[in-house]
């Protein structure tokens, strides 16, 4: 099930690789969507606001995990593109060691300081207890997120974008069943929703791990492959940490927005929660484009096929432009019924606020598409630290607009993320051509596969 992205039509390869990634992202969002829908419909607006108020900090921590694991898999994609399976295995085992280390540290830190984080975010007192219970459970289950995201990233680096989808689809169904059982049967409230998500994620991760160990002879390791190599660990951290920090930096900006919205009151929190869930689901194709371009860039850099980088970029940008226009048109028509999926009858009066927030985001979906495509392509090319600077610009955009929310009101909160996307694009466009130029310089063409047994 491996796929070589260094040969053939870039558009065809991007579509064939990206569609399973898209399905995987949709199932990933399905966890949150099902949780939120069941919580909002069965437990009421207060519970929905409690879960929604943790969305940005959830994204910060889980996003760090996703970015870190994705970065650890970039050297694997490059070695696969170069045909160097011996070195590939060493990078995979090194990434596994680092996931164990960072997983333990992240879980410990977030569970210890969970309450302080919610207090600092000005979480309304009437929803604080539920918010704490929900996000503490998610943080305690972070090892499951590390397991799935690392194994899925490694499989994608080999061109296998189907296995993660297969297991996530099963886990999504399991999540629905567990939500019903934990919330409606055992009355576990928001704790049941969080527990269902963590257990489902663990099942998906275990399935991908079994596939890695049994389905890919090139990943069959020996004892020597598990030796700690300072050089490889340094290279993996140079790829993974900037990607993880990039997600976290972006999420810090989201935390600022969430904090500003929290200050407006529970009604605004509820409306933004519903609209954000719809937007996250609709924007899944942009995440899939980014993940696809990371693997595409990694494999083609590994095989020194520089001209294919531009070809793939043009193809993916075209896809992003078409989908952005279609999604805006559909959301203009169906915004209210989609928002009502997450609001109960008593919260229907919040629809104008939710619609305003959702359509403002949709107007700027093409800049969001460019952010994902360019940033992940640059990372796949091996320039993770440079791509992280785009996250700093996103943070600056969100920070400035968030500070205006108390004076300008809800409209400022609606434009915070779009402003961040535009600022990031202004940096990423020239950054890509800079990276492309550096790769084509003669000194970069000295890559040679390591000799067997080295």
């Amino acid at each position: 099930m491996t796929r070589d992205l260094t040969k053939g039509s870039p558009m065809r390869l991007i579509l064939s690789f990206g569609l399973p990634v898209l399905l995987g992202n949709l199932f990933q969002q399905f966890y949150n969507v099902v949780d939120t829908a069941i919580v909002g419909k069965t437990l009421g607006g207060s519970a929905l606001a409690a879960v929604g108020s943790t969305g940005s900090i959830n994204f910060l921590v889980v996003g760090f995990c996703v970015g870190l694991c994705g970065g650890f898999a970039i050297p694997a994609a490059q070695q696969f593109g170069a045909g160097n399976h011996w070195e590939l295995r060493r990078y995979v085992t090194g990434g596994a060691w680092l996931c164990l280390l960072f997983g333990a540290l992240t879980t410990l830190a977030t569970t210890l300081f969970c309450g302080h984080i919610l207090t600092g975010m000005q979480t309304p007192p009437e929803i604080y207890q539920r918010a704490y219970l929900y996000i503490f459970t998610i943080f305690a289950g972070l090892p499951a997120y590390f397991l799935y995201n690392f194994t899925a990233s490694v499989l994608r680096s080999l061109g296998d974008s189907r296995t993660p989808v297969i297991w996530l689809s099963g886990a999504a169904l399991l999540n629905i069943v567990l939500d019903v059982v934990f919330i409606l049967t055992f009355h576990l409230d928001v704790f049941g929703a969080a527990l269902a998500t963590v257990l489902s994620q663990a099942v998906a991760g275990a399935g991908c791990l079994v596939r890695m160990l049994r389905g890919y002879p090139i990943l069959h390791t020996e004892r020597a492959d598990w030796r700690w190599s300072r050089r490889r660990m340094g290279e993996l951290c140079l790829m993974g940490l900037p990607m993880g920090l990039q997600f976290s930096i972006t999420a810090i900006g989201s935390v600022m927005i969430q904090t500003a919205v929290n200050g407006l009151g529970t009604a605004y929190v509820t409306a933004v929660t519903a609209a954000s869930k719809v937007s996250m689901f609709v924007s899944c194709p942009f995440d899939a484009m980014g993940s696809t371009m990371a693997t595409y860039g990694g494999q083609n850099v590994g095989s020194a096929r520089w001209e294919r980088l531009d070809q793939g970029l043009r193809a993916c940008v075209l896809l992003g432009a078409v989908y952005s226009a279609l999604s805006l048109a559909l959301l203009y028509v169906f915004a209210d019924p989609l928002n009502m999926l997450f609001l109960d009858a008593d919260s229907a009066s919040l629809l104008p606020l939710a619609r305003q927030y959702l359509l403002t985001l949709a107007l700027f979906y093409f800049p969001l598409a460019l952010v994902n495509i360019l940033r992940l392509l640059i990372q796949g090319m091996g320039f993770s630290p440079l791509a992280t600077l785009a996250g700093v610009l996103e943070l600056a955009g969100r920070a400035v607009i968030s500070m205006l929310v108390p004076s300008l009101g809800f409209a400022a909160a609606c434009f915070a993320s779009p402003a961040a996307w535009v600022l990031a694009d202004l940096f990423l466009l020239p950054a890509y051509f800079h990276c492309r130029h550096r790769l084509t310089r003669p000194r970069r063409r000295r890559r040679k596969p390591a000799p067997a047994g080295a």
Side-chain angles (χ1 to χ4, degrees):
M1 294 181 68
T2 59
R3 180 180 288 110
D4 187 350
L5 303 182
T6 65
K7 301 175 183 178
S9 166
M11 178 66 80
R12 180 180 59 81
L13 290 170
I14 289 170
L15 286 173
S16 62
F17 183 92
L19 286 176
V21 176
L22 170 59
L23 290 176
N25 288 341
L26 291 173
F27 282 122
Q28 186 80 48
Q29 291 299 329
F30 206 53
Y31 288 118
N32 294 327
V33 168
V34 170
D35 287 341
T36 307
I38 292 180
V39 167
K41 293 294 185 180
T42 62
L43 301 178
S46 177
L48 177 63
V51 173
S53 68
T54 67
S56 54
I57 188 63
N58 192 347
F59 174 46
L60 190 156
V61 176
V62 175
F64 175 77
C65 160
V66 172
L68 192 72
C69 294
F72 289 161
I74 286 176
Q78 294 175 345
Q79 296 303 323
F80 180 79
N84 190 351
H85 297 165
W86 176 85
E87 193 75 4
L88 164 65
R89 288 190 291 272
R90 298 295 176 95
Y91 280 111
V92 171
T93 55
W97 279 121
L98 291 175
C99 281
L100 288 172
L101 175 62
F102 282 103
L105 292 175
T106 306
T107 302
L108 179 63
T110 53
T111 52
L112 284 177
F113 295 101
C114 181
H116 296 83
I117 294 171
L118 292 178
T119 301
M121 290 178 61
Q122 302 179 23
T123 303
E126 63 269 23
I127 62 175
Y128 179 89
Q129 280 301 122
R130 278 174 153 173
Y132 178 89
L133 185 60
Y134 181 84
I135 199 62
F136 181 88
T137 306
I138 295 294
F139 287 163
L142 282 176
Y145 285 86
F146 272 91
L147 174 63
Y148 169 74
N149 283 285
F150 179 66
T151 54
S153 296
V154 170
L155 289 170
R156 291 183 185 122
S157 73
L158 305 180
D160 179 4
S161 57
R162 297 180 183 179
T163 298
V165 177
I166 294 171
W167 282 102
L168 266 182
S169 61
L173 295 176
L174 175 63
N175 191 51
I176 296 173
V177 174
L178 292 180
D179 270 330
V180 172
V181 172
F182 290 159
I183 296 178
L184 300 182
T185 303
F186 293 115
H187 306 290
L188 296 181
D189 204 73
V190 295
F191 169 71
L195 182 61
T197 299
V198 170
L199 292 178
S200 300
Q201 189 82 182
V203 169
C208 289
L209 178 62
V210 170
R211 176 60 180 166
M212 277 180 56
L213 297 178
R214 295 185 178 182
Y216 290 90
I218 62 175
L219 294 180
H220 291 174
T221 60
E222 300 176 354
R223 184 174 182 180
D225 294 327
W226 290 91
R227 292 174 183 168
W228 187 278
S229 169
R230 292 178 61 183
R231 177 184 66 83
R232 292 189 188 87
M233 296 303 178
E235 292 180 13
L236 286 165
C237 287
L238 188 62
M239 292 291 183
L241 282 175
M243 284 188 69
L245 291 175
Q246 166 204 299
F247 275 83
S248 295
I249 290 171
T250 302
I252 289 172
S254 298
V255 170
M256 293 179 177
I257 297 175
Q258 185 68 63
T259 302
V261 172
N262 287 351
L264 296 175
T266 300
Y268 288 94
V269 174
T270 305
V272 169
T273 298
S276 296
K277 293 300 181 181
V278 175
S279 182
M280 288 172 64
F281 201 86
V282 174
S283 61
C284 276
F286 303 133
D287 297 326
M289 293 174 195
S291 298
T292 299
M293 294 310 292
T295 301
Y296 180 91
Q299 288 194 13
N300 281 283
V301 166
S303 63
R305 297 181 180 272
W306 319 123
E307 73 286 350
R308 291 180 59 81
L309 296 174
D310 293 340
Q311 296 170 3
L313 176 60
R314 287 193 295 268
C316 204
V317 168
L318 176 60
L319 290 175
V322 172
Y323 179 76
S324 297
L326 289 175
S327 60
L328 174 60
L330 290 173
L331 288 178
Y332 184 82
V333 176
F334 298 108
D336 288 347
L338 289 174
N339 284 323
M340 278 304 298
L341 292 174
F342 306 101
L343 297 171
D344 58 9
D346 295 335
S347 303
S349 60
L350 303 177
L351 276 178
L353 294 176
R355 179 183 179 84
Q356 178 184 352
Y357 189 84
L358 179 59
L359 291 184
T360 304
L361 296 182
L363 282 170
F364 292 86
Y365 272 168
F366 182 63
L368 173 60
L370 288 180
V371 168
N372 283 276
I373 293 168
L374 290 168
R375 185 167 56 196
L376 272 294
L377 177 57
I378 289 172
Q379 289 168 344
M381 293 162 64
F383 296 91
S384 286
L386 187 61
T388 304
L389 293 178
V392 176
L393 288 175
E394 285 192 67
L395 173 61
R398 288 188 171 96
V400 171
I401 302 300
S402 295
M403 288 188 293
L404 299 176
V405 171
S407 57
L408 298 181
F410 183 63
C414 295
F415 279 96
S417 288
W421 301 333
V422 172
L423 279 176
D425 285 331
L426 292 176
F427 172 80
L428 286 168
L429 281 168
Y432 166 75
F433 292 105
H434 169 73
C435 297
R436 176 75 166 77
H437 173 71
R438 288 188 60 184
L439 285 172
T440 55
R441 289 192 296 190
R443 66 184 184 86
R444 298 287 300 190
R445 299 183 183 183
R446 62 189 181 189
R447 180 190 300 274
K448 294 181 180 179

